[in-house]
Amino acid sequence: MTTTEAMRHGIYRSRGIRRFVQWLDVAPHPLIACEIASGYVAAVRWTRAGGGIESFAIEPLPPGAVKPSAVETNLANPVEVRAAVGRIFTRLHAKTREVALFLPDPVIRVFVLHFDVFPRSADEALPLLRWRLKKSVPFETDETVISFMRQAPREEGVDVVTALARLRIVREYEQLLESVGMAPGVVMSSTLAALPLLNDRKPALLARVSGKAMTAAIVRDGVLCGYRCVDLPAEETDITPQALLDEIYPLAAYYQDSWQEGITMVGLAGLAGRIDEFREPLERELRCPVGGLLSAAASEGHISSELRPLVERELDALVGWSLYRGS
């Protein structure tokens, strides 16, 4: 089954947030993972035994070559992006074809939906989800690929985490890998790949900035409690702590009102290495510890020394996926 066909079937096979990362009927542990972001392409190949890194490569992209969008064409300069992908996989010396592919967050919309009753059958569930989300996405739901999973509800009924994307945009990225002989076996957003890095024993918020996109997610004991992806008023090199807080605060306030408790920590990712500038202002307003997502995971012993090349380049999606692979 191809990636797109698997996504059409659309059920997450998951046991909480650390199983939140695969589409139905696709292999969960490809030996190769590739992230395509607005500013770079990066990929890693793991060894078959032990999960160590066998090879790793990253290629910068010209400004504007990839313009992440849920609606419009993403590859503004497909020649440059395809060339970067080609160089990446030449350096990787890939011998297997299956790849886990991580896309920019704006491409994949994620919702946490509540239902009083939810069908067990995917054939019944998908039309219900399309109807429910018809007015929530800026494209026709019959043009989408959808995946979903049930999770523990906050109240009576059923909570369903749903991810959907416009099919033709997903295919833009898939075809990049296919052009170099690779086959995307897992397709997901970069933030979902990074979530295993977040310590979710207590309510925790991840705020991840890439280019002009900010994604915030709140998880609590394996449950995705909230998700928000927005465009920022400036690039990650120029965004101010107050501007970031303005986009994080609505999700934190929603969680506090809905769950009757506050978040207990914030993990930051991206921000072009400027995380220290954001720590004190966010701690003062959110009243909880704030730190780097990767540094916090490393201090808690979740990241092995073998992953150092990825950590040094702040490739949180690839590091997070490696934790999933080893779980």
Side-chain angles (χ1 to χ4, degrees):
M1 179 178 291
T2 68
T3 303
T4 300
E5 287 170 340
M7 292 168 72
R8 286 184 190 277
H9 282 266
I11 303 176
Y12 277 117
R13 184 169 52 200
S14 173
R15 291 182 299 166
I17 215 65
R18 284 168 177 73
R19 288 291 181 273
F20 193 50
V21 291
Q22 69 184 90
W23 303 102
L24 179 67
D25 291 337
V26 296
H29 295 160
L31 294 176
I32 300 171
C34 175
E35 180 186 9
I36 302 176
S38 58
Y40 62 85
V41 178
V44 60
R45 178 162 61 95
W46 283 278
T47 59
R48 290 189 177 276
I53 292 177
E54 196 160 88
S55 57
F56 158 70
I58 184 169
E59 284 279 337
L61 292 174
V66 173
K67 296 182 176 180
S69 168
V71 182
E72 304 296 337
T73 297
N74 279 220
L75 302 184
N77 191 338
V79 174
E80 288 283 358
V81 181
R82 190 175 295 109
V85 170
R87 291 191 295 271
I88 285 286
F89 281 92
T90 296
R91 290 165 59 188
L92 238 57
H93 302 291
K95 298 178 181 177
T96 58
R97 296 185 66 247
E98 195 166 64
V99 179
L101 175 60
F102 309 137
L103 307 185
D105 291 335
V107 173
I108 298 177
R109 299 295 179 94
V110 178
F111 301 87
V112 182
L113 304 174
H114 182 76
F115 295 88
D116 293 331
V117 179
F118 191 74
R120 289 286 179 182
S121 164
D123 290 340
E124 297 178 4
L126 286 173
L128 177 60
L129 290 171
R130 292 185 191 279
W131 174 81
R132 177 76 175 267
L133 293 169
K134 187 174 183 178
K135 295 183 180 180
S136 299
V137 293
F139 44 79
E140 294 297 324
T141 55
D142 59 3
E143 300 176 3
T144 65
V145 284
I146 299 180
S147 188
F148 64 91
M149 78 168 194
R150 296 168 177 260
Q151 66 175 10
R154 175 173 47 86
E155 53 194 25
E156 293 296 322
V158 181
D159 280 357
V160 179
V161 179
T162 305
L164 73 163
R166 198 171 190 179
L167 176 59
R168 70 173 180 82
I169 292 176
V170 173
R171 286 298 296 152
E172 284 187 69
Y173 291 95
E174 289 184 329
Q175 287 168 354
L176 287 172
L177 268 62
E178 291 167 1
S179 71
V180 294
M182 297 293 109
V186 175
V187 177
M188 62 186 303
S189 71
S190 293
T191 288
L192 294 184
L195 274 180
L197 290 163
L198 196 62
N199 184 343
D200 65 349
R201 290 191 294 271
K202 295 181 179 180
L205 185 149
L206 166 62
R208 184 176 186 273
V209 179
S210 178
K212 291 186 68 175
M214 190 286 298
T215 306
I218 297 177
V219 294
R220 182 185 189 275
D221 194 25
V223 172
L224 182 66
C225 305
Y227 187 96
R228 171 179 169 86
C229 182
V230 297
D231 289 333
L232 294 171
E235 295 281 346
E236 60 183 314
T237 52
D238 301 315
I239 193 69
T240 65
Q242 184 60 51
L244 182 63
L245 180 64
D246 289 346
E247 301 298 345
I248 293 174
Y249 193 82
L251 187 64
Y254 162 80
Y255 177 81
Q256 184 165 353
D257 290 345
S258 299
W259 293 72
Q260 300 300 304
E261 64 180 358
I263 57 175
T264 60
M265 66 87 64
V266 175
L268 299 177
L271 292 168
R274 302 167 55 220
I275 287 174
D276 286 344
E277 298 177 32
F278 293 79
R279 182 175 287 109
E280 191 277 330
L282 267 61
E283 286 183 342
R284 183 173 62 247
E285 296 296 329
L286 298 174
R287 300 182 180 181
C288 66
V290 176
L293 177 68
L294 285 169
S295 60
S299 67
E300 294 170 359
H302 297 318
I303 301 177
S304 69
S305 59
E306 294 176 329
L307 297 175
R308 185 174 178 179
L310 307 181
V311 173
E312 289 177 344
R313 302 303 292 267
E314 298 186 347
L315 297 169
D316 51 284
L318 296 180
V319 177
W321 174 254
S322 74
L323 300 187
Y324 167 68
R325 291 186 77 257
S327 63

